[in-house]
Amino acid sequence: MATMAMCPECEVLISIPGTLRLGKIVECPECGATLEVVSIEPPELDVVMEEEEEDWEEDLEDLEEEEELEEEDYLWEEEEDLEEDFDDEE
């Protein structure tokens, strides 16, 4: 017999097929949320956080920081080149 638990996203009672175990991943048929079994007695589900989205945001922040640093390095190099050109002219 399937175990019943409430979806924390849409609050619909859903059936958890198979053996109930901690960490089992199920999908809510109503809202499509990816859920994890976090308690067996009583059965409780929690929304699985999308690591890819979090990683993507962190990667974007890292990329923006790298681009800023590269731009600063480029400006420093350009300034040094100008100074060398100026020194060569003298």
Side-chain angles (χ1 to χ4, degrees), residues 49-63:
M49 294 308 236
E50 299 279 337
E51 288 184 26
E52 292 177 11
E53 288 180 19
E54 294 172 5
D55 290 344
W56 181 82
E57 290 172 356
E58 290 173 9
D59 289 345
L60 180 61
E61 289 173 5
D62 291 344
L63 181 63

Side-chain angles (χ1 to χ4, degrees), residues 62-76:
D62 291 344
L63 181 63
E64 288 171 348
E65 288 176 13
E66 285 178 25
E67 287 175 349
E68 287 175 13
L69 291 174
E70 287 175 1
E71 186 176 330
E72 287 177 17
D73 287 345
Y74 176 77
L75 291 174
W76 277 106

Side-chain angles (χ1 to χ4, degrees), residues 26-90:
V26 295
E27 186 174 305
C28 176
E30 186 68 28
C31 69
T34 303
L35 307 168
E36 177 181 7
V37 176
V38 294
S39 173
I40 294 174
E41 194 57 51
E44 185 178 342
L45 302 169
D46 196 9
V47 176
V48 174
M49 294 308 236
E50 299 279 337
E51 288 184 26
E52 292 177 11
E53 288 180 19
E54 294 172 5
D55 290 344
W56 181 82
E57 290 172 356
E58 290 173 9
D59 289 345
L60 180 61
E61 289 173 5
D62 291 344
L63 181 63
E64 288 171 348
E65 288 176 13
E66 285 178 25
E67 287 175 349
E68 287 175 13
L69 291 174
E70 287 175 1
E71 186 176 330
E72 287 177 17
D73 287 345
Y74 176 77
L75 291 174
W76 277 106
E77 289 172 5
E78 197 173 82
E79 185 176 316
E80 289 173 354
D81 288 345
L82 287 173
E83 288 176 358
E84 287 176 8
D85 289 345
F86 183 75
D87 289 344
D88 289 343
E89 289 177 10
E90 292 180 348

Side-chain angles (χ1 to χ4, degrees), residues 7-44:
C7 173
E9 280 292 297
C10 65
E11 299 182 355
V12 165
L13 197 58
I14 64 172
S15 173
I16 303 171
T19 305
L20 186 66
R21 60 180 163 68
L22 289 177
K24 183 174 186 167
I25 304 295
V26 295
E27 186 174 305
C28 176
E30 186 68 28
C31 69
T34 303
L35 307 168
E36 177 181 7
V37 176
V38 294
S39 173
I40 294 174
E41 194 57 51
E44 185 178 342

